[in-house]
Amino acid sequence: MTPLLAYPHDTMAPERRWDAPWTLAETPAALGTVAPVPAPALRCVRLHTGAATAGHDLATRRSVARSLALLLGCPFEDGTPAAEGDRSYLVPTETLIGFEAAARLGVRGPDDLFGGIVPHAFVATKVITHPLVAAHAAAPAGWSARFSERVRGVVLPGFAVFSAADARRALRRLLADGAVRVKSPDGVGGGGQSVVGDATPFETLLSTIDPAQLARDGLVLERNLSRVQTCSVGQVRVGPFCASYVGVQGLVPDHAGREVYGGSRLRVVRGDFDALLRRPLARTDRLAVEQALVYHAAACEEYGVVASRANYDIAQGLDESGRWRSGVLEQSWRIGGASGAEVAALFAFQADPALESVTASTHEVYAEHPVPPPGAQVHFDDTDPQAGRLLKYAQLDTDAQP
């Protein structure tokens, strides 16, 4: 088993602001362009909405889906396919659950959608990242112990639990080495999380969770880190285009002063993950990519995940002993917060076949009178009932040239 990579504090890379510019180093060998793949003509790009998506998230994903329609050169429509054989390119707002259900929507493979398909609902959540606390512990049907074993060396110490008894056992084991982060399996943007240092607050939290919900959805207990930087590693395949990236996420204050997801800054290359790894990368970035690839391969092979858009969050920071650690937190096989930047990069590659690398970013601005920078692609500029006044945009950054 490959151990979790850890480095002493004095070897930690200097902190980098999430929105600070990168300097992209030149490489002598050209990576080559992605050859167009012939495919039947698409009738339209269609947004397929899930019940969990609303407000600014839904509006943003609709805007990104419209951009995908422009990229593919076909009309945009909302709603489910009109009939079998519709030849729609589907953009689901959530990961599709079940291959038969996906086929009924006209999705039979990664060329038919921007996102992914998983066999069970729990596979689309962060609960799969960690193993069970014991071989006999409660787990949903379809749980893969082989997946947990394969990714153990590239994730932080932690457990997935599906009963109160297993949750208490997992907490005791993890508290021996410091504070524990407790996470809802489907929380987004850092939501649904709390840090506990002893059993008392955990029992209070546990008492608020319905046992049936816990048995169905699970709960994640994970080693807590400080001074955390969250990296993003991903790949998108749309029509003839393929792009892969590594980047960093940032936090901004919302209208209540809480730190929330504020955007991602991505270094995007034309081609697959091998093309990304051929570029000169900082050690911490290269480690994030390598860890994400282990997770990605295990998900595809052990759970049969099919995805044209894959994104992995990797936490890098200090544990309570002062050691620097890096581990995959979760996956996203659906349109997400970084997708505006992903699509902006694809447009750049479409416009310039010789372009091999670009820096693209998304930004979320909580302000009463936000003004987007010149040339930005605005995906939301309005007042959300929950979040308040919010501007969301993507842009290509001209400060760094490939």
Side-chain angles (χ1 to χ4, degrees), residues 332-347:
S332 174
W333 298 305
R334 58 164 174 78
I335 188 171
S339 291
E342 295 163 358
V343 176
L346 293 181
F347 270 104

Side-chain angles (χ1 to χ4, degrees), residues 88-127:
S88 297
Y89 182 82
L90 205 67
V91 185
T93 58
E94 304 296 335
T95 308
L96 296 183
I97 311 300
F99 300 100
E100 290 185 5
R104 288 194 293 270
L105 295 171
V107 176
R108 290 174 172 79
D111 293 339
D112 298 327
L113 86 165
F114 186 80
I117 315 168
V118 297
H120 310 285
F122 73 85
V123 179
T125 76
K126 58 177 66 72
V127 75

Side-chain angles (χ1 to χ4, degrees), residues 49-385:
T49 59
T53 310
H56 67 87
D57 281 334
L58 178 56
T60 303
R61 293 174 193 184
R62 179 176 287 114
S63 178
V64 174
R66 289 182 185 276
S67 296
L68 285 167
L70 289 173
L71 183 73
L72 292 171
C74 57
F76 169 79
E77 295 182 13
D78 272 337
T80 56
E84 191 170 346
D86 185 20
R87 283 303 302 159
S88 297
Y89 182 82
L90 205 67
V91 185
T93 58
E94 304 296 335
T95 308
L96 296 183
I97 311 300
F99 300 100
E100 290 185 5
R104 288 194 293 270
L105 295 171
V107 176
R108 290 174 172 79
D111 293 339
D112 298 327
L113 86 165
F114 186 80
I117 315 168
V118 297
H120 310 285
F122 73 85
V123 179
T125 76
K126 58 177 66 72
V127 75
I128 67 168
T129 296
H130 298 293
L132 303 176
V133 70
H136 61 273
W143 181 266
S144 172
R146 279 181 53 84
F147 174 83
S148 301
E149 185 65 24
R150 287 182 62 172
V151 303
R152 188 188 292 268
V154 299
V155 303
L156 302 177
F159 297 102
V161 297
F162 295 88
S163 74
D166 290 340
R168 295 184 181 101
R169 182 177 180 181
L171 183 74
R172 287 194 298 271
R173 289 176 61 175
L174 289 170
L175 281 177
D177 293 313
V180 176
R181 184 170 293 271
V182 182
K183 304 194 293 189
S184 169
D186 56 359
V188 296
Q193 301 187 18
S194 59
V195 178
V196 297
D198 58 65
T200 301
F202 182 71
E203 286 297 330
T204 302
L205 185 154
L206 200 58
S207 69
T208 67
I209 304 175
D210 179 71
Q213 177 187 347
L214 181 59
R216 182 187 69 242
D217 301 333
L219 194 66
V220 175
L221 286 77
E222 183 177 79
R223 168 68 51 240
N224 185 55
L225 300 182
S226 62
R227 293 180 61 189
V228 175
Q229 178 172 274
T230 303
C231 297
S232 289
V233 174
Q235 184 177 106
V236 289
R237 292 179 178 269
V238 180
F241 306 104
C242 176
S244 304
Y245 60 82
V246 60
V248 62
Q249 297 181 15
L251 299 175
V252 297
D254 67 7
H255 289 290
R258 299 176 297 246
E259 284 200 327
V260 296
Y261 174 75
S264 299
R265 185 175 177 82
L266 311 177
R267 177 180 178 177
V268 191
V269 303
R270 183 192 297 269
D272 59 15
F273 285 122
D274 286 341
L276 180 61
L277 286 171
R278 288 198 297 270
R279 305 293 289 192
L281 300 174
R283 185 183 64 170
T284 51
D285 290 342
R286 185 170 296 277
L287 174 59
V289 176
E290 291 170 347
Q291 290 180 321
L293 288 181
V294 172
Y295 196 108
H296 178 77
C300 294
E301 294 165 15
E302 304 300 337
Y303 280 117
V305 172
V306 172
S308 64
R309 193 265 177 179
N311 175 278
Y312 302 93
D313 288 349
I314 297 92
Q316 298 183 333
L318 303 179
D319 65 16
E320 291 203 359
S321 69
R323 293 182 67 82
W324 187 88
R325 291 188 178 273
S326 177
V328 181
L329 297 177
E330 61 182 304
Q331 75 292 343
S332 174
W333 298 305
R334 58 164 174 78
I335 188 171
S339 291
E342 295 163 358
V343 176
L346 293 181
F347 270 104
F349 294 143
Q350 181 191 54
D352 183 357
L355 185 65
E356 297 294 345
S357 178
V358 69
T359 303
S361 58
T362 59
H363 303 261
E364 304 195 4
V365 182
Y366 294 81
E368 292 305 323
H369 303 288
V371 179
Q377 173 64 54
V378 175
H379 291 295
F380 184 83
D381 186 3
D382 205 345
T383 299
D384 181 87

